[in-house]
């Protein structure tokens, strides 16, 4: 089941909510200037426009959302090199981000951040590190043994490398199930991040966070997403990403 980017954009355009500014979590994959490491990357200029729009609309960019209104959390999936090479942009904007790392890529796998680079990023007060599993496999299709490996191995590597407790998990490709939620929760992943859009305070399941994909959003689409324009896509994304 597919939905074209143009159709998705039109739906978002006409579904803008003109009421309260609910807190939301946003998803990016990378940022770039001259060198683009992935088709999912956002240009630095567009990213800056997004941040300015967030602030101009009265939202606060926070490390972790604590209020139902007026807060935005920014996340990056996969840990591409562009974020490391352009981290000065994050510092200049003075914004908190959460970075979800695929740990099998830390061993100098191009074009991803390696162990040494991740340690450097971790020293910044602006960044929080979470797991994107070890091999980025679709979790809802794995056997229990493979699922445990993906979640345990990633957690262990990050905790040993950074000397910090890892409690955030991002589902690869947004795929998850009731079994994935339970096992991840049992392993200490207190927050699990999906790709189901919507308000932060409107939980899908216990510990499962909603997120809105904005990496290619133009100014109008981004504005409408901040105002809940993508909430109407919840059922479609559930069909695409969730299996009971």
């Amino acid at each position: 089941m597919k939905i074209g980017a143009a159709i998705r954009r039109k739906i978002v355009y006409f579904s803008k909510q003109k009421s309260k500014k609910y807190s939301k979590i946003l998803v990016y994959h990378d940022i770039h200037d001259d060198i683009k490491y992935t088709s999912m990357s956002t240009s630095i200029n567009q990213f800056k426009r997004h941040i300015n729009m967030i602030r101009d609309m009265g939202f606060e960019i926070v490390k972790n959302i604590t209020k139902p209104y007026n807060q935005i959390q920014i996340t990056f999936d996969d840990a591409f090199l562009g974020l490391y090479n352009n981290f000065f942009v994050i510092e200049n904007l003075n914004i908190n981000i959460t970075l979800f790392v695929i740990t099998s890529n830390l061993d100098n796998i191009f074009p991803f951040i390696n162990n040494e680079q991740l340690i450097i990023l971790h020293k910044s007060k602006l960044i929080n590190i979470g797991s994107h599993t070890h091999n980025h496999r679709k979790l809802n299709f794995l056997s229990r043994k493979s699922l445990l490996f993906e979640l345990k191995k990633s957690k262990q590597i990050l905790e040993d490398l950074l000397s910090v407790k890892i409690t955030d998990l991002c589902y690869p490709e947004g795929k998850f199930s009731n079994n994935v939620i339970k096992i991840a929760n049992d392993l200490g992943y207190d927050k699990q991040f999906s790709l189901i859009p919507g308000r932060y305070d409107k939980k899908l399941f216990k510990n499962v966070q909603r997120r809105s994909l904005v990496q290619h959003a133009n100014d109008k689409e981004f504005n409408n997403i901040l105002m809940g324009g993508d909430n109407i896509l919840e059922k479609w994304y559930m069909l695409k990403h969730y299996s009971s």
Side-chain angles (χ1 to χ4, degrees), residues 106 153 202 234:
L106 288 172
K153 184 70 172 178
K202 188 180 177 184
E234 174 188 342

Side-chain angles (χ1 to χ4, degrees), residues 157-168:
I157 289 173
L158 291 174
E159 290 183 345
D160 290 348
L161 181 66
L162 305 175
S163 299
V164 65
K165 190 174 182 181
I166 299 297
T167 59
D168 291 354

Side-chain angles (χ1 to χ4, degrees), residues 34-115:
D34 296 329
I35 302 175
K36 188 175 181 179
Y37 292 108
T38 170
S39 62
M40 298 181 289
S41 185
T42 305
S43 72
I44 288 174
N45 287 337
Q46 185 65 47
F47 183 72
K48 288 180 178 178
R49 286 200 296 272
H50 284 184
I51 300 305
N52 289 335
M53 289 176 66
I54 290 170
R55 288 172 167 163
D56 289 346
M57 292 174 68
F59 287 97
E60 176 189 13
I61 299 172
V62 296
K63 187 173 184 178
N64 292 292
I65 293 175
T66 58
K67 301 176 182 178
Y69 307 112
N70 301 321
Q71 290 187 335
I72 295 293
Q73 181 178 349
I74 295 174
T75 65
F76 281 83
D77 292 3
D78 298 348
F80 285 100
L81 269 174
L83 182 64
Y84 177 80
N85 292 339
N86 298 291
F87 195 70
F88 68 90
V89 174
I90 304 298
E91 293 175 317
N92 290 343
L93 291 170
N94 192 31
I95 56 173
N96 292 106
I97 66 169
T98 297
L99 175 63
F100 292 109
V101 180
I102 305 167
T103 49
S104 64
N105 289 337
L106 288 172
D107 191 20
N108 294 307
I109 304 298
F110 185 82
F112 298 95
I113 292 168
N114 63 30
N115 284 288

Side-chain angles (χ1 to χ4, degrees), residues 3-53:
I3 183 170
I7 295 175
R8 178 185 183 277
R9 183 165 289 151
K10 286 182 179 180
I11 292 173
V12 171
Y13 282 173
F14 291 104
S15 302
K16 178 179 178 179
Q17 298 177 359
K18 298 181 180 180
S19 56
K20 298 178 180 178
K21 294 180 292 185
Y22 291 100
S23 297
K24 294 177 75 72
I25 304 174
L26 307 182
V27 186
Y28 295 89
H29 278 84
D30 203 16
I31 52 176
H32 68 272
D33 190 1
D34 296 329
I35 302 175
K36 188 175 181 179
Y37 292 108
T38 170
S39 62
M40 298 181 289
S41 185
T42 305
S43 72
I44 288 174
N45 287 337
Q46 185 65 47
F47 183 72
K48 288 180 178 178
R49 286 200 296 272
H50 284 184
I51 300 305
N52 289 335
M53 289 176 66

